[in-house]
Amino acid sequence: MTPTLLLAAALPPGVLQFLPFVLIIVVFYFLLIRPNQKRQQTWQQMLGNLKSGDRVTTNGGIRGTILSIKDDAITLRVAPDNIKIEVVKSAIASVTTDEAAK
C-alpha cells in the first residue's frame, strides 16, 4: 500500500474531509494574521516609547516635533510657522529620526 492509502485508512472518514479546511486556516494564520499581529505590536511599542522632541509623521502626512504628551493626545509643533496642533496618539504613523529627515 502507498503512504496515502495508509493515512486514509488510519483516519476516520469525517476527518479526511475537513483536512483541507484545517490546512487553509493554518496557511491563513501564518501568512495574514501573524504578520499583522507583529506589526500591531511594534506600532504599540513605538507609541509607548514616544517622548518630547521626537519628530513624527501622522497618518495624514503632517510632520512635526512633539512638544508634550498627554494620555491620548500629543501636541506637535509644525514648521515653518511653528504652529501647535493637537493630534490623537493613534494618528502617529512613524517616528522620523534626524538622519532620515536630512
Side-chain angles (χ1 to χ4, degrees):
M1 291 187 145
T2 64
T4 307
L5 290 176
L6 288 174
L7 179 64
L11 292 175
V15 173
L16 195 58
Q17 292 175 351
F18 290 109
L19 192 60
F21 296 114
V22 171
L23 291 175
I24 289 171
I25 290 171
V26 169
V27 167
F28 269 97
Y29 175 76
F30 282 110
L31 292 180
L32 298 174
I33 298 170
R34 189 166 180 237
N36 195 25
Q37 286 177 341
K38 282 189 169 190
R39 191 177 313 115
Q40 181 76 16
Q41 183 180 16
T42 57
W43 180 71
Q44 289 288 339
Q45 187 177 21
M46 184 255 324
L47 287 181
N49 293 334
L50 289 176
K51 60 187 178 300
S52 293
D54 284 348
R55 291 186 44 83
V56 295
T57 304
T58 65
N59 289 331
I62 299 172
R63 292 183 180 171
T65 305
I66 297 176
L67 293 178
S68 66
I69 300 174
K70 298 176 188 171
D71 290 335
D72 64 339
I74 294 176
T75 304
L76 295 178
R77 182 179 63 226
V78 182
D81 296 331
N82 291 329
I83 298 171
K84 294 179 185 178
I85 60 172
E86 186 171 284
V87 296
V88 180
K89 200 179 227 185
S90 62
I92 302 297
S94 64
V95 175
T96 309
T97 59
D98 290 333
E99 292 82 28
K102 291 182 182 177

